[in-house]
Amino acid sequence: MNSPASSVPSVSSVDPVDSVRPNVVTMEPYTPVFPFDVLAARLDRAPEDISKLDANENPYGPPPQVQEVLSTLRYTHIYPDPESRALRAALAEFTGVPADFLLAGAGADELIDLTMRLFLQPGEAIINCPPTFGMYAFDAEICGAQVITVPRRDDFSLDVEGIEAAVCRHRPKLIFLASPNNPDGGWLPDDDLERLLALPLVVVLDEAYVEFAGMQRSRVKMVPQRHNLIVLRSFSKWAGLAGLRVGYGAFPAGLMPHLWKIKQPYNVNVAASAAAIAVLQDPHYLEMHIARMVAERERLTRLLAEIPYLRPYPSQSAYVLCRVVGREARELKLALEQEGILIRYFDKPRLRDHIRISVGRPDQTDALIAVLRRL
Ligand SMILES: *Cc1c(COP(=O)(O)O)cnc(C)c1O
């Protein structure tokens, strides 16, 4: 019999890269987003001369009380409250959903990841309906889950029959949907949502942009009555806190104890929490900016429709998707970049002839339209 020592390979023959999980090895490499100032320097422009219309950030930033709260923050040397009690109490008042159903996170992104880790073992399935937000497929891949793709129809509405058939065939545990959807800005109708909730799976509804469709239309209040609905929301887009990373989710009561077990204890930092609470103390300032952005979205859509090579889709969100006809969408994006205007191009099926433009300030719309007319 061999001695145990002789069966252990020598240290030099072990390459740690061989130990990386196979589903990570086969993942596509991450494409980094260039920081704003780096891109400005590359384009030989000052950051304030760049029109950043590529990531749906709020062009007005957060309300002034956020700066005030951050500059007087006192307990940065103490770990934050693992249960985010003060923030969840403020969220309960804001959403009308009791705090027992609410979990705060480092952005909605963290809660997408946490939801996957709560449910998915390697090989188990989720349904994804592209074109949509990229993180659903991305996080599922990290879990080693199987991503069942049920593409949207030509108008970006859901193929509900296709989803029902896929549920019968693959028995997925979860479906992820954004409403309004990113990148088209379309709304998930009540009938579709009801049909999905009748299926044997958990429906994760991502409402990162619901404030731009009308805050009162959020489905977050349905969560306590439904056993299989999760609603995720964010402070990144409507509240201008993208850089601080804060979001929240409403989950069925039975899931909460398990979520508390698996979440990182200090996931929401003290600055993010204080800023979010400050925002919720006076939502009127933000309502004014949202109204301004909604009006600007309508004006932007009208002006884009007058550009001969663009076909904008009606949007209920903070961006407008356009089909580009008779020229290359990618080249259009690069030409705009040279003019200091950043927009989003997706090198993905169904979107290669599309661009997505975030709603900016009126002066940014005017500059964009002037360049588009000239190009
Ligand atoms: C921006 C975005 C998010 C991410 O929100 P964070 O709170 O910043 O993590 C989630 N879902 C969709 C559809 C988004 O566009």
Side-chain angles (χ1 to χ4, degrees):
M1 220 170 101
N2 283 344
S3 73
S6 71
S7 62
V8 177
S10 71
V11 172
S12 64
S13 70
V14 179
D15 183 345
V17 175
D18 295 336
S19 306
V20 174
R21 291 161 56 206
N23 62 300
V24 175
V25 172
T26 54
M27 275 176 77
E28 298 273 325
Y30 171 71
T31 340
V33 175
F34 284 108
F36 192 29
D37 45 342
V38 173
L39 217 109
R42 279 174 137 214
L43 293 170
D44 218 3
R45 279 168 192 270
E48 57 274 18
D49 293 334
I50 299 274
S51 219
K52 194 171 182 318
L53 304 178
D54 61 346
N56 309 331
E57 289 129 336
N58 192 314
Y60 299 103
Q65 64 264 30
V66 167
Q67 267 321 321
E68 214 174 286
V69 157
L70 292 180
S71 61
T72 56
L73 210 56
R74 283 180 63 210
Y75 293 107
T76 51
H77 59 300
I78 306 285
Y79 282 114
D81 172 12
E83 294 182 39
S84 296
R85 274 166 264 232
L87 175 55
R88 286 169 51 239
L91 284 168
E93 195 161 323
F94 177 63
T95 58
V97 175
D100 299 343
F101 295 85
L102 300 174
L103 195 73
D109 280 353
E110 190 203 6
L111 299 171
I112 295 169
D113 178 54
L114 199 66
T115 302
M116 300 234 191
R117 289 195 291 120
L118 182 67
F119 286 104
L120 298 173
Q121 304 207 58
E124 291 183 331
I126 71 154
I127 292 198
N128 189 39
C129 302
T132 192
F133 189 49
M135 294 304 284
Y136 313 142
F138 171 82
D139 285 326
E141 259 188 275
I142 297 175
C143 285
Q146 200 190 339
V147 179
I148 309 296
T149 297
V150 182
R152 287 169 182 263
R153 298 201 184 92
D154 284 345
D155 64 354
F156 296 100
S157 63
L158 284 182
D159 173 6
V160 181
E161 288 79 35
I163 292 168
E164 287 167 344
V167 169
C168 285
R169 199 165 329 119
H170 301 281
R171 294 283 155 195
K173 284 187 158 174
L174 302 167
I175 182 169
F176 283 81
L177 298 164
S179 178
N181 190 41
N182 181 359
D184 57 285
W187 183 255
L188 175 67
D190 287 338
D191 293 353
D192 286 0
L193 179 59
E194 285 303 330
R195 278 174 70 181
L196 297 174
L197 287 169
L199 295 170
L201 84 178
V202 174
V203 177
V204 184
L205 189 62
D206 179 345
E207 291 193 333
Y209 300 98
V210 75
E211 293 81 5
F212 300 95
M215 198 118 44
Q216 69 296 342
R217 295 171 73 200
S218 168
R219 270 74 174 239
V220 72
K221 279 209 184 101
M222 291 169 64
V223 171
Q225 280 92 48
R226 301 299 181 118
H227 72 287
N228 63 338
L229 175 65
I230 293 171
V231 174
L232 305 181
R233 291 176 61 175
S234 172
F235 284 86
S236 294
K237 311 309 183 353
W238 73 289
L241 297 184
L244 284 175
R245 314 303 302 126
V246 54
Y248 57 101
F251 296 84
L255 295 180
M256 291 299 288
H258 304 295
L259 286 160
W260 286 119
K261 284 186 270 181
I262 67 166
K263 99 173 177 66
Q264 296 290 325
Y266 307 121
N267 58 333
V268 183
N269 70 66
V270 290
S273 176
I277 291 168
V279 158
L280 295 178
Q281 276 164 358
D282 177 22
H284 301 296
Y285 176 92
L286 285 166
E287 279 164 23
M288 179 182 79
H289 281 318
I290 292 168
R292 206 174 272 183
M293 286 174 70
V294 167
E296 193 57 20
R297 175 184 75 207
E298 300 308 309
R299 188 174 82 97
L300 173 66
T301 306
R302 272 198 310 277
L303 290 168
L304 289 170
E306 291 169 9
I307 304 291
Y309 53 88
L310 294 180
R311 305 279 184 278
Y313 295 83
S315 167
Q316 308 210 34
S317 196
Y319 43 81
V320 177
L321 184 73
C322 299
R323 192 157 65 85
V324 181
V325 290
R327 60 193 297 172
E328 292 288 324
R330 209 179 84 87
E331 266 149 42
L332 185 58
K333 173 220 150 86
L334 294 174
L336 285 166
E337 193 172 289
Q338 289 310 310
E339 305 280 340
I341 299 172
L342 310 183
I343 60 159
R344 189 72 198 267
Y345 168 74
F346 306 89
D347 192 7
K348 286 196 184 145
R350 287 280 308 282
L351 293 176
R352 291 204 171 87
D353 55 345
H354 288 71
I355 53 171
R356 191 196 66 196
I357 303 169
S358 306
V359 175
R361 297 182 312 266
D363 62 294
Q364 293 176 309
T365 301
D366 294 341
L368 167 79
I369 295 294
V371 173
L372 288 172
R373 284 185 182 144
R374 178 152 50 78
L375 283 175

